Structure formats: C-alpha cells, structure tokens
Amino acid sequence: MGKKRLFLINGPNLNRLGKREPETYGKKSLEDVEVLVEQTASELGYAVTSFQSNHEGDLVDWIQRAEEEAEGIIINPAAYTHTSIALRDAISAISKPVVEIHISNVHERESFRHISMLAPVCSGQIVGFGIDGYRLATLGMIQKVESEGRNHS
Ligand code: CA2
C-alpha cells in the first residue's frame, strides 16, 4: 500500500499569492504554500496532491475525487467560501474530513466575509494565521484522520 494521501485545494485568485496584496495575504507564493503542506504532511508519513483552480466546477470535481483518492482535504475555497452551495453540497456528499483554511482573519474584514457556506459541513476551520495556517490545518487534518481511524474523538 502507498502512503496515505491528503488533497490540498486552493480556490480562485490564490494562484496570485505573493504577487499582489502582500499586506493581506503575505509574500509567499502558492508554490511555497504547497511545499509547506507537503513538508508538514511528509514529517507525519502523508503524501499530498495539490490543486488550484479559478473555476467552481473544477473544485467540485476535486472534492468528489477525494472520496476515492484521499484521506481528507485541506481547502482554501477563497471567495467561493462565501457564495458556493455547490462546494458545500460536494463536501456534504463525501465521507472524508475537510478542513477550511483562510490566510486572513475574515472576521476583521468586510461583513460578507464573515459568513462561510462551507464551515457547517467542514470538520474544522483555521482563520487568520497567515500562510502558517496551512501548517496548522495540515496538523489538524492528520489528527482528525488518525483519531477517526481509532474510532473515537
Ligand atoms: O483569507 C483567505 O484566505 C481568503 O480565503 C482569501 C480570498 C478571500 O476572498 C476570502 O474572503 C478570504 C481571496 C483570495 C485572493 O488571493 C489573492 C492573492 C494574492 C493577490 C490577490 C488575491
């Protein structure tokens, strides 16, 4: 059997990380984020498949794929967090844990960012720790996967 695998999914505009708005989203690139998650996961014996898309339906496809191919999903759904019933339904329809992560503290920003369509169907949420939040989300996800494997919380 191969290594256990996590999916890291990043939503619209996150391919621009490090190129604009460093005061809100930091100076690191999306590739830096992907390396951070891969290194964190690898220390604990997990492999990672990373995917970014600006298209809602592609994100739905990858959430569905996780049911067969991953132990769990770390997702920054970006602006779709606040709008997407399609992503919410996709998460609801899989049995694998999903952790939602936001780089910025959405709660100190505009009120439309305070609502997450996805949080009620996710296992956990990390908000406001910058890029380091991806490391925290990875550790939290692995904790979930391993404790669920032992069949208690
Ligand atoms: O704080 C987060 O991680 C967000 O998910 C980022 C989204 C925003 O719509 C959410 O409310 C909170 C926006 C991502 C845009 O990323 C950019 C990165 C660099 C330059 C421009 C945009």
Side-chain angles (χ1 to χ4, degrees):
M1 200 186 87
K3 261 189 176 179
K4 289 186 187 173
R5 183 164 297 276
L6 303 177
F7 278 4
L8 168 64
I9 300 178
N10 281 291
N13 297 305
L14 288 164
N15 55 315
R16 306 278 295 140
L17 267 184
K19 299 184 168 76
R20 274 194 47 220
E21 300 185 45
E23 61 292 346
T24 309
Y25 300 118
K27 291 184 187 158
K28 298 269 172 70
S29 67
L30 180 62
E31 198 190 336
D32 293 333
V33 166
E34 292 174 351
V35 168
L36 174 65
V37 170
E38 276 155 30
Q39 280 176 350
T40 306
S42 142
E43 285 162 20
L44 294 162
Y46 284 73
V48 178
T49 300
S50 297
F51 176 75
Q52 187 275 333
S53 178
N54 296 326
H55 304 280
E56 190 173 17
D58 289 342
L59 298 169
V60 169
D61 288 343
W62 273 77
I63 291 167
Q64 291 183 0
R65 237 174 113 162
E67 183 74 323
E68 306 298 330
E69 297 180 27
E71 304 299 319
I73 303 175
I74 298 152
I75 186 167
N76 185 342
Y80 287 136
T81 306
H82 317 298
T83 64
S84 181
I85 296 168
L87 291 187
R88 180 189 175 123
D89 288 349
I91 293 170
S92 282
I94 62 168
S95 62
K96 301 296 166 68
V98 177
V99 172
E100 180 183 333
I101 185 253
H102 298 287
I103 299 165
S104 64
N105 181 357
V106 286
H107 300 291
E108 68 181 17
R109 301 183 64 193
E110 304 96 321
S111 58
F112 65 82
R113 297 187 202 276
H114 299 177
I115 301 291
S116 170
M117 292 287 165
L118 312 186
V121 295
C122 287
S123 300
Q125 193 186 42
I126 305 272
V127 165
F129 290 95
I131 296 300
D132 289 345
Y134 281 92
R135 179 173 169 81
L136 301 175
T138 308
L139 295 172
M141 167 55 66
I142 291 172
Q143 176 93 352
K144 286 261 178 224
V145 169
E146 309 241 312
S147 65
E148 281 170 15
R150 291 200 310 273
N151 221 3
H152 60 78
S153 57

